Coordinates of all heavy atoms in Angstrom, one line a residue:
M232 N 8.7 -50.8 -0.6 CA 8.4 -52.2 -0.3 C 6.9 -52.5 -0.3 O 6.2 -51.9 0.4 CB 9.0 -52.5 1.2 CG 8.8 -53.8 1.7 SD 9.5 -54.0 3.3 CE 9.1 -52.7 4.2
I233 N 6.5 -53.4 -1.2 CA 5.1 -53.6 -1.3 C 5.0 -55.2 -1.2 O 5.6 -56.0 -1.8 CB 4.5 -53.2 -2.7 CG1 4.8 -51.7 -2.9 CG2 3.1 -53.6 -2.9 CD1 4.0 -50.9 -2.0
P234 N 4.0 -55.7 -0.3 CA 3.8 -57.1 -0.2 C 3.1 -57.6 -1.4 O 2.3 -57.0 -2.0 CB 2.9 -57.2 1.0 CG 2.2 -55.9 1.1 CD 3.2 -54.9 0.6
T235 N 3.5 -58.9 -1.9 CA 2.9 -59.5 -3.1 C 2.2 -60.7 -2.8 O 1.4 -61.2 -3.5 CB 4.0 -59.8 -4.1 OG1 5.0 -60.6 -3.5 CG2 4.6 -58.5 -4.6
A236 N 2.5 -61.4 -1.6 CA 1.9 -62.6 -1.2 C 2.1 -62.8 0.3 O 3.0 -62.1 0.9 CB 2.5 -63.8 -2.0
F237 N 1.4 -63.7 1.0 CA 1.7 -64.1 2.3 C 1.4 -65.6 2.5 O 0.7 -66.3 1.8 CB 0.9 -63.2 3.3 CG -0.6 -63.4 3.3 CD1 -1.3 -64.4 4.0 CD2 -1.3 -62.6 2.4 CE1 -2.7 -64.5 4.0 CE2 -2.7 -62.7 2.3 CZ -3.3 -63.7 3.0
V238 N 2.0 -66.2 3.5 CA 1.8 -67.5 3.8 C 1.1 -67.6 5.1 O 1.4 -67.0 6.1 CB 3.2 -68.3 4.0 CG1 2.9 -69.7 4.3 CG2 4.0 -68.2 2.8
W239 N -0.1 -68.3 5.1 CA -0.9 -68.5 6.3 C -0.3 -69.4 7.2 O 0.7 -70.2 6.9 CB -2.3 -68.9 5.9 CG -3.4 -68.6 6.9 CD1 -4.1 -69.7 7.6 CD2 -3.8 -67.4 7.3 NE1 -5.0 -69.1 8.4 CE2 -4.8 -67.7 8.3 CE3 -3.4 -66.1 7.2 CZ2 -5.4 -66.7 9.0 CZ3 -4.1 -65.1 7.9 CH2 -5.1 -65.4 8.9
E240 N -0.8 -69.6 8.5 CA -0.3 -70.5 9.5 C -0.2 -71.9 9.1 O 0.7 -72.6 9.6 CB -1.2 -70.4 10.8 CG -1.3 -69.0 11.4 CD -2.4 -68.9 12.5 OE1 -3.5 -69.6 12.3 OE2 -2.1 -68.3 13.5
D241 N -1.2 -72.3 8.2 CA -1.2 -73.7 7.9 C -0.3 -74.1 6.6 O -0.3 -75.1 6.1 CB -2.6 -74.2 7.6 CG -3.3 -73.5 6.5 OD1 -2.6 -72.6 5.8 OD2 -4.4 -73.7 6.2
G242 N 0.4 -73.0 6.2 CA 1.3 -73.2 5.1 C 0.8 -72.8 3.7 O 1.6 -72.8 2.7
R243 N -0.5 -72.5 3.7 CA -1.1 -72.1 2.4 C -0.5 -70.6 2.0 O -0.4 -69.8 2.8 CB -2.5 -72.1 2.4 CG -3.1 -73.4 2.4 CD -4.7 -73.4 2.4 NE -5.1 -72.9 3.7 CZ -6.4 -72.6 4.0 NH1 -7.3 -72.7 3.1 NH2 -6.7 -72.2 5.2
K244 N -0.3 -70.5 0.6 CA 0.3 -69.2 0.1 C -0.8 -68.5 -0.6 O -1.6 -69.1 -1.4 CB 1.5 -69.5 -0.7 CG 2.2 -68.2 -1.1 CD 3.4 -68.4 -1.9 CE 4.1 -67.1 -2.3 NZ 5.4 -67.4 -3.0
Y245 N -1.0 -67.2 -0.3 CA -1.9 -66.4 -1.0 C -1.4 -65.2 -1.8 O -0.6 -64.6 -1.2 CB -3.1 -65.9 0.0 CG -3.8 -66.9 0.7 CD1 -3.4 -67.5 1.9 CD2 -5.0 -67.3 0.2 CE1 -4.2 -68.5 2.6 CE2 -5.8 -68.3 0.8 CZ -5.3 -68.9 1.9 OH -6.1 -69.7 2.6
A246 N -1.7 -65.1 -3.0 CA -1.3 -63.9 -3.8 C -2.1 -62.7 -3.4 O -3.3 -62.9 -3.3 CB -1.2 -64.3 -5.2
I247 N -1.5 -61.6 -3.3 CA -2.2 -60.3 -3.1 C -2.5 -59.7 -4.5 O -1.7 -59.5 -5.2 CB -1.4 -59.4 -2.2 CG1 -1.1 -60.1 -0.9 CG2 -2.1 -58.1 -2.1 CD1 -0.2 -59.3 0.0
D248 N -3.8 -59.5 -4.6 CA -4.3 -58.9 -5.9 C -4.1 -57.4 -6.1 O -3.7 -56.9 -7.1 CB -5.8 -59.2 -6.1 CG -6.1 -60.7 -6.0 OD1 -5.3 -61.5 -6.6 OD2 -7.1 -61.1 -5.5
K249 N -4.3 -56.7 -5.0 CA -4.2 -55.3 -5.1 C -3.7 -54.8 -3.6 O -4.1 -55.3 -2.6 CB -5.5 -54.6 -5.3 CG -5.6 -53.2 -5.5 CD -7.0 -52.7 -5.9 CE -7.1 -51.2 -6.0 NZ -8.3 -50.7 -6.3
V250 N -2.9 -53.8 -3.7 CA -2.3 -53.1 -2.4 C -2.5 -51.6 -2.4 O -2.2 -51.0 -3.5 CB -0.8 -53.5 -2.3 CG1 -0.3 -52.9 -0.9 CG2 -0.6 -54.9 -2.3
S251 N -3.0 -51.0 -1.3 CA -3.2 -49.6 -1.3 C -1.9 -49.0 -0.7 O -1.1 -49.8 -0.1 CB -4.3 -49.2 -0.4 OG -4.2 -49.5 0.9
K252 N -1.7 -47.8 -0.7 CA -0.7 -47.1 -0.1 C -0.5 -47.3 1.4 O -1.6 -47.3 2.1 CB -0.8 -45.5 -0.4 CG 0.4 -44.8 -0.1 CD 0.3 -43.4 -0.7 CE -0.8 -42.5 0.0 NZ -0.8 -41.2 -0.4
P253 N 0.6 -47.6 1.9 CA 0.8 -47.8 3.3 C 0.4 -46.6 4.2 O 0.6 -45.4 3.7 CB 2.3 -48.2 3.5 CG 3.0 -47.6 2.3 CD 1.9 -47.6 1.2
E254 N -0.1 -46.9 5.4 CA -0.5 -45.8 6.3 C 0.2 -46.1 7.6 O 0.3 -47.2 8.1 CB -2.0 -45.9 6.6 CG -2.9 -45.7 5.4 CD -4.3 -45.8 5.8 OE1 -4.7 -47.0 5.9 OE2 -4.9 -44.8 6.1
R255 N 0.9 -45.0 8.1 CA 1.5 -45.3 9.4 C 0.4 -45.3 10.6 O -0.3 -44.4 10.6 CB 2.4 -44.0 9.7 CG 3.2 -44.2 11.0 CD 4.7 -44.1 10.8 NE 5.4 -44.0 12.0 CZ 5.9 -45.1 12.6 NH1 5.8 -46.2 11.9 NH2 6.6 -45.0 13.7
C256 N 0.5 -46.4 11.3 CA -0.6 -46.5 12.3 C -0.2 -47.5 13.4 O 0.9 -48.2 13.2 CB -1.9 -46.9 11.8 SG -1.9 -48.5 11.0
A257 N -1.0 -47.6 14.4 CA -0.7 -48.7 15.4 C -1.8 -49.8 15.3 O -2.9 -49.5 14.8 CB -0.9 -48.0 16.9
S258 N -1.4 -51.0 15.6 CA -2.3 -52.2 15.5 C -3.2 -52.0 16.7 O -2.7 -52.1 17.9 CB -1.5 -53.4 15.4 OG -2.4 -54.4 15.7
R259 N -4.6 -52.0 16.5 CA -5.5 -51.9 17.6 C -5.6 -53.2 18.4 O -5.8 -53.3 19.5 CB -6.8 -51.4 17.1 CG -6.8 -50.0 16.7 CD -8.0 -49.5 16.0 NE -7.7 -49.5 14.6 CZ -8.4 -49.7 13.5 NH1 -9.7 -49.9 13.8 NH2 -8.0 -49.6 12.3
K260 N -5.5 -54.3 17.6 CA -5.7 -55.6 18.3 C -4.5 -56.3 18.7 O -4.3 -57.0 19.8 CB -6.5 -56.6 17.3 CG -7.8 -56.1 16.9 CD -8.5 -57.1 16.0 CE -9.8 -56.6 15.6 NZ -10.4 -57.5 14.6
A261 N -3.4 -56.2 17.9 CA -2.1 -56.9 18.3 C -1.1 -56.1 18.9 O -0.1 -56.6 19.5 CB -1.5 -57.5 16.9
G262 N -1.3 -54.8 19.1 CA -0.3 -53.9 19.6 C 0.8 -53.6 18.6 O 0.8 -54.2 17.6
G263 N 1.7 -52.8 18.9 CA 2.7 -52.4 18.1 C 2.4 -51.3 17.1 O 1.3 -50.9 16.9
T264 N 3.5 -50.7 16.4 CA 3.2 -49.7 15.4 C 4.0 -50.0 14.2 O 4.9 -50.8 14.2 CB 3.7 -48.3 16.0 OG1 5.0 -48.4 16.2 CG2 2.9 -47.9 17.2
G265 N 3.6 -49.5 13.1 CA 4.2 -49.7 11.8 C 3.4 -49.2 10.7 O 2.7 -48.1 10.8
Y266 N 3.6 -49.8 9.6 CA 2.9 -49.4 8.3 C 1.9 -50.3 8.0 O 2.2 -51.5 7.9 CB 3.8 -49.2 7.2 CG 4.7 -48.0 7.5 CD1 6.0 -48.2 8.0 CD2 4.3 -46.7 7.0 CE1 6.9 -47.1 8.2 CE2 5.2 -45.7 7.2 CZ 6.4 -45.9 7.9 OH 7.3 -44.8 8.0
R267 N 0.6 -50.0 7.8 CA -0.6 -50.9 7.5 C -0.9 -50.8 6.1 O -1.0 -49.7 5.5 CB -1.7 -50.5 8.3 CG -2.9 -51.6 8.1 CD -4.1 -51.3 9.0 NE -4.8 -50.1 8.4 CZ -6.0 -49.8 8.8 NH1 -6.6 -50.4 9.8 NH2 -6.6 -48.8 8.2
Y268 N -0.9 -51.9 5.4 CA -1.2 -52.0 4.0 C -2.6 -52.6 3.9 O -2.8 -53.8 4.4 CB -0.2 -53.0 3.3 CG 1.2 -52.5 3.3 CD1 2.1 -52.5 4.2 CD2 1.7 -51.9 2.0 CE1 3.4 -52.0 4.2 CE2 3.0 -51.4 2.0 CZ 3.8 -51.5 3.1 OH 5.1 -51.0 3.0
T269 N -3.5 -52.0 3.2 CA -4.8 -52.6 2.9 C -4.7 -53.3 1.7 O -4.2 -52.8 0.5 CB -5.9 -51.5 2.8 OG1 -5.9 -50.7 4.0 CG2 -7.2 -52.1 2.5
C270 N -5.0 -54.7 1.7 CA -4.7 -55.6 0.5 C -6.1 -56.3 0.2 O -6.9 -56.4 1.1 CB -3.7 -56.7 0.9 SG -2.2 -56.1 1.5
Q271 N -6.1 -56.7 -1.1 CA -7.3 -57.4 -1.5 C -6.7 -58.7 -2.0 O -5.8 -58.8 -2.8 CB -7.9 -56.6 -2.8 CG -9.2 -57.4 -3.3 CD -9.9 -56.6 -4.3 OE1 -9.5 -55.5 -4.7 NE2 -10.9 -57.2 -4.9
V272 N -7.4 -59.8 -1.4 CA -6.9 -61.2 -1.7 C -8.2 -62.0 -2.1 O -9.0 -62.1 -1.2 CB -6.2 -61.8 -0.5 CG1 -5.8 -63.2 -0.9 CG2 -5.0 -61.0 -0.1
G273 N -8.4 -62.4 -3.3 CA -9.5 -63.2 -3.8 C -10.9 -62.5 -3.4 O -11.9 -63.1 -3.1
G274 N -10.8 -61.1 -3.6 CA -12.1 -60.4 -3.5 C -12.3 -59.9 -2.1 O -13.3 -59.2 -1.8
K275 N -11.4 -60.3 -1.1 CA -11.7 -59.9 0.3 C -10.6 -58.9 0.7 O -9.4 -59.0 0.1 CB -11.6 -61.1 1.1 CG -12.8 -62.1 0.9 CD -12.8 -63.3 1.9 CE -13.9 -64.2 1.6 NZ -13.9 -65.3 2.5
I276 N -11.0 -58.0 1.7 CA -10.0 -57.1 2.1 C -9.4 -57.6 3.5 O -10.0 -58.1 4.3 CB -10.8 -55.7 2.5 CG1 -11.4 -55.1 1.2 CG2 -9.8 -54.7 3.0 CD1 -10.5 -54.8 0.0
C277 N -8.0 -57.4 3.6 CA -7.3 -57.7 4.7 C -6.2 -56.6 5.0 O -6.0 -55.8 4.1 CB -6.6 -59.1 4.7 SG -5.4 -59.2 3.4
H278 N -5.7 -56.7 6.2 CA -4.7 -55.6 6.5 C -3.4 -56.3 6.9 O -3.4 -57.1 7.9 CB -5.2 -54.7 7.6 CG -6.4 -54.0 7.3 ND1 -6.4 -52.9 6.5 CD2 -7.7 -54.2 7.6 CE1 -7.6 -52.4 6.3 NE2 -8.5 -53.2 7.1
L279 N -2.3 -55.9 6.3 CA -1.0 -56.5 6.7 C -0.2 -55.3 7.3 O -0.3 -54.2 6.7 CB -0.2 -56.9 5.5 CG -0.7 -58.3 4.8 CD1 0.2 -58.6 3.6 CD2 -0.5 -59.4 5.8
T280 N 0.4 -55.6 8.4 CA 1.2 -54.6 9.1 C 2.6 -54.9 9.1 O 3.1 -56.0 9.3 CB 0.7 -54.3 10.4 OG1 -0.6 -54.0 10.5 CG2 1.5 -53.2 11.2
Y281 N 3.5 -53.9 8.7 CA 4.9 -54.1 8.8 C 5.5 -53.3 9.9 O 5.4 -52.0 9.9 CB 5.5 -53.6 7.5 CG 7.0 -53.8 7.4 CD1 7.7 -55.0 7.4 CD2 7.8 -52.6 7.6 CE1 9.1 -55.1 7.3 CE2 9.2 -52.6 7.5 CZ 9.8 -53.9 7.5 OH 11.3 -54.0 7.4
E282 N 6.0 -53.9 10.9 CA 6.7 -53.2 12.1 C 8.2 -52.8 11.7 O 8.8 -53.5 10.9 CB 6.7 -54.0 13.4 CG 5.3 -54.2 13.9 CD 5.4 -54.9 15.3 OE1 6.3 -55.6 15.6 OE2 4.4 -54.8 16.0
E283 N 8.6 -51.8 12.3 CA 9.9 -51.2 11.9 C 11.0 -52.1 12.3 O 12.1 -52.0 11.9 CB 10.1 -49.9 12.4 CG 9.2 -48.9 11.8 CD 9.3 -47.4 12.3 OE1 10.1 -47.3 13.3 OE2 8.5 -46.6 11.9
N284 N 10.8 -53.2 13.0 CA 11.9 -54.2 13.3 C 11.9 -55.4 12.4 O 12.2 -56.5 12.7 CB 11.7 -54.7 14.8 CG 10.5 -55.4 15.1 OD1 9.6 -55.5 14.2 ND2 10.3 -56.0 16.3
Y285 N 11.3 -55.2 11.1 CA 11.3 -56.1 10.0 C 10.3 -57.4 10.3 O 10.7 -58.4 10.0 CB 12.7 -56.6 9.8 CG 13.7 -55.5 9.5 CD1 14.6 -55.2 10.5 CD2 13.5 -54.8 8.4 CE1 15.6 -54.2 10.3 CE2 14.5 -53.7 8.1 CZ 15.5 -53.4 9.1 OH 16.3 -52.4 8.9
K286 N 9.2 -57.0 11.0 CA 8.2 -58.1 11.2 C 6.9 -57.8 10.5 O 6.4 -56.7 10.7 CB 8.1 -58.2 12.7 CG 7.1 -59.2 13.2 CD 7.0 -59.2 14.7 CE 5.7 -59.8 15.2 NZ 5.6 -59.7 16.7
W287 N 6.4 -58.7 9.8 CA 5.0 -58.6 9.2 C 4.1 -59.4 10.0 O 4.4 -60.5 10.6 CB 5.1 -59.2 7.8 CG 5.8 -58.5 6.8 CD1 7.0 -58.6 6.4 CD2 5.3 -57.4 5.9 NE1 7.4 -57.8 5.4 CE2 6.3 -57.0 5.1 CE3 4.0 -56.8 5.8 CZ2 6.1 -56.0 4.1 CZ3 3.9 -55.8 4.9 CH2 4.9 -55.4 4.0
F288 N 2.8 -58.8 10.1 CA 1.7 -59.6 10.8 C 0.5 -59.2 10.2 O 0.3 -58.1 9.6 CB 1.9 -59.5 12.3 CG 1.6 -58.1 12.8 CD1 0.3 -57.8 13.1 CD2 2.6 -57.3 13.0 CE1 0.0 -56.5 13.7 CE2 2.3 -56.0 13.6 CZ 1.1 -55.6 13.9
M289 N -0.5 -60.0 10.4 CA -2.0 -59.8 10.1 C -2.8 -60.0 11.3 O -2.7 -60.9 12.0 CB -2.4 -60.8 9.0 CG -3.8 -60.6 8.5 SD -4.4 -61.8 7.2 CE -3.2 -61.4 5.9
E290 N -3.7 -59.0 11.6 CA -4.6 -59.1 12.7 C -5.7 -60.2 12.5 O -6.1 -60.3 11.4 CB -5.3 -57.8 12.9 CG -4.4 -56.6 13.3 CD -5.1 -55.3 13.6 OE1 -6.3 -55.2 13.1 OE2 -4.5 -54.5 14.2
R291 N -6.0 -60.9 13.5 CA -7.1 -61.9 13.4 C -8.4 -61.3 13.6 O -8.5 -60.1 14.3 CB -6.9 -62.9 14.6 CG -5.7 -63.8 14.3 CD -5.7 -64.8 15.5 NE -4.5 -65.7 15.4 CZ -4.6 -66.9 14.7 NH1 -5.7 -67.4 14.4 NH2 -3.4 -67.6 14.6
K292 N -9.4 -61.8 13.1 CA -10.9 -61.3 13.3 C -11.2 -61.7 14.7 O -10.9 -62.7 15.2 CB -11.7 -61.9 12.2 CG -11.4 -61.3 10.9 CD -12.5 -61.6 9.9 CE -12.2 -61.0 8.6 NZ -13.1 -61.1 7.6

């Protein structure tokens, strides 16, 4: 399972250009545990996390 895009809160959709291998880890800001994907979107790096209860989220800055 590899993410290919995400939809932001305001409804805008962003395509993910590059995804690294998932790492099992805990979210330091949002809490919870799961697999963190380091993604490149438009030249910027972001982290998407997939929790084992089928929930995706992105930490805010």
Side-chain angles (χ1 to χ4, degrees):
M232 176 174 49
I233 303 290
T235 58
F237 63 90
V238 178
W239 198 245
E240 299 172 319
D241 62 4
R243 289 184 285 173
K244 186 174 182 177
Y245 294 91
I247 297 173
D248 302 321
K249 185 178 177 183
V250 179
S251 71
K252 189 167 67 172
E254 303 173 277
R255 180 124 176 96
C256 67
S258 171
R259 288 170 257 154
K260 295 180 182 176
T264 60
Y266 292 92
R267 184 175 79 169
Y268 295 79
T269 301
C270 303
Q271 184 174 354
V272 179
K275 295 183 180 182
I276 300 295
C277 65
H278 300 286
L279 288 173
T280 303
Y281 177 75
E282 288 186 342
E283 293 179 1
N284 62 354
Y285 308 108
K286 177 179 160 189
W287 287 93
F288 67 89
M289 182 182 297
E290 293 180 343
R291 292 181 180 262
K292 289 188 176 186

